[in-house]
Amino acid sequence: MTPSQRLDATFAALADPTRRAILARLALGNASVAELTQPFAMSQPAISKHLKVLEHAGLISTAQDAQRRPRKIEGVRLGEATAWLEEYRQFWERRYSALDELLDELQANPPKSKRKRH
Amino acid sequence: MTPSQRLDATFAALADPTRRAILARLALGNASVAELTQPFAMSQPAISKHLKVLEHAGLISTAQDAQRRPRKIEGVRLGEATAWLEEYRQFWERRYSALDELLDELQANPPKSKRKRH
DNA sequence: TGGGGACATAACCATATGGTTATGGTAACC
DNA sequence: GGTTACCATAACCATATGGTTATGTCCCCA
């Protein structure tokens, strides 16, 4: 899987409130499928599907404890996604400056003499 | 739109390589639809659809310059997404420690005397 | 004033997504 | 050894997504 495909899978996995809530639960400690299903008004197979999406994205991993398959949060992909976002922070923080606002304005409406405005 | 729905829209918008490339281009400066279409082997309406997704997520905004509709990157939602990810960093960084690894192991296989392993 | 460039929108299509119910496997327990 | 708890998988369905081509609208310019 290429880095771009990893970001695809990571952001897609994060784009669902149920999956984000599952990650929030797992951030507090490992949990079985039954424990993860309990808070939601949703069937167990639906949660299993969400877990498969999260695992495919590398955001969680599965262990084994008798019949249980406790899930564990994995930080690497979250780190990659954060790094991607951080890379853009410098750009859009720059674009908040008054100078950049002015440049944007000039770009949209160059002060050529007698330029029609509409 | 609730904060959760904003995160849904933001992460979903970021889960596509074309849209991330568009953001990368816009991070360098505003650009028209034609300019944004040029690098891609894709029709202009397809790019317009991606732009609509990005704008619905609040990641970009549209200005007007005669027939052009130059797009501009907007940082607020990127910041919200980053903040969400950062909030989890502390948790998954904790889980990398040797102590947590040990606790995970004990959680999976409690050292009760003569416990069957399978 | 009409032609063309820039862009949006509509209609359509294939595939992906997110849920359901039904069913099957495996391990613990009585 | 039969039952029960835990979980996965399959089959199915409705809607969303990501692309296409066709067409319409607006605005500059000759």
Side-chain angles (χ1 to χ4, degrees), chain B residues 4-116:
Chain B
S4 177
Q5 289 171 328
R6 282 204 297 270
L7 286 174
D8 288 358
T10 300
F11 284 128
L14 294 177
D16 182 282
T18 301
R19 288 193 291 265
R20 288 197 305 276
I22 288 174
L23 285 180
R25 169 64 185 81
L26 290 176
L28 303 176
N30 302 353
S32 69
V33 175
E35 288 168 339
L36 292 172
T37 302
Q38 188 271 325
F40 298 101
M42 201 179 297
S43 67
Q44 170 262 314
I47 299 296
S48 282
K49 275 195 176 186
H50 283 304
L51 293 174
K52 184 165 264 185
V53 172
L54 287 167
E55 186 157 16
H56 175 254
L59 290 166
I60 65 174
S61 62
T62 303
Q64 180 129 13
D65 170 29
Q67 322 97 309
R68 320 259 165 69
R69 311 288 158 80
R71 299 317 205 276
K72 177 185 172 182
I73 199 166
E74 293 289 339
V76 179
R77 295 298 152 78
L78 281 173
E80 290 177 1
T82 305
W84 188 90
L85 285 169
E86 288 290 352
E87 197 176 335
Y88 287 88
R89 175 126 83 183
Q90 52 180 322
F91 289 108
W92 60 261
E93 272 178 353
R94 271 195 66 255
R95 304 195 69 71
Y96 272 135
S97 76
L99 177 58
D100 280 312
E101 290 295 329
L102 175 61
L103 291 175
D104 285 342
E105 178 63 20
L106 293 177
Q107 181 181 343
N109 298 308
K112 297 224 172 117
S113 54
K114 288 192 257 147
R115 186 177 180 276
K116 272 246 198 74

Side-chain angles (χ1 to χ4, degrees), chain A:
Chain A
M1 195 151 54
T2 71
S4 177
Q5 289 172 329
R6 282 204 296 273
L7 286 174
D8 289 357
T10 300
F11 284 129
L14 294 177
D16 182 282
T18 302
R19 289 195 290 265
R20 288 197 303 276
I22 289 174
L23 284 180
R25 170 62 185 81
L26 290 177
L28 302 176
N30 301 354
S32 69
V33 175
E35 287 169 340
L36 292 172
T37 301
Q38 188 271 327
F40 300 100
M42 200 179 298
S43 67
Q44 170 261 314
I47 299 295
S48 284
K49 276 195 175 186
H50 283 305
L51 293 174
K52 184 165 266 186
V53 172
L54 287 168
E55 186 157 15
H56 175 254
L59 290 166
I60 64 174
S61 61
T62 304
Q64 180 129 15
D65 171 28
Q67 321 98 310
R68 320 260 165 68
R69 311 288 158 81
R71 298 318 206 275
K72 178 186 171 183
I73 199 167
E74 293 289 338
V76 179
R77 295 297 152 78
L78 283 172
E80 291 176 2
T82 305
W84 188 90
L85 286 169
E86 289 289 353
E87 197 176 336
Y88 286 88
R89 178 129 79 181
Q90 53 180 319
F91 290 107
W92 60 262
E93 273 178 352
R94 271 195 67 253
R95 303 196 70 72
Y96 272 135
S97 76
L99 176 58
D100 280 311
E101 290 295 329
L102 176 60
L103 290 176
D104 285 341
E105 179 62 22
L106 293 178
Q107 181 181 342
N109 298 308
K112 299 226 171 113
S113 54
K114 287 188 262 154
R115 185 177 181 276
K116 274 244 197 75
R117 291 304 291 268
H118 58 284

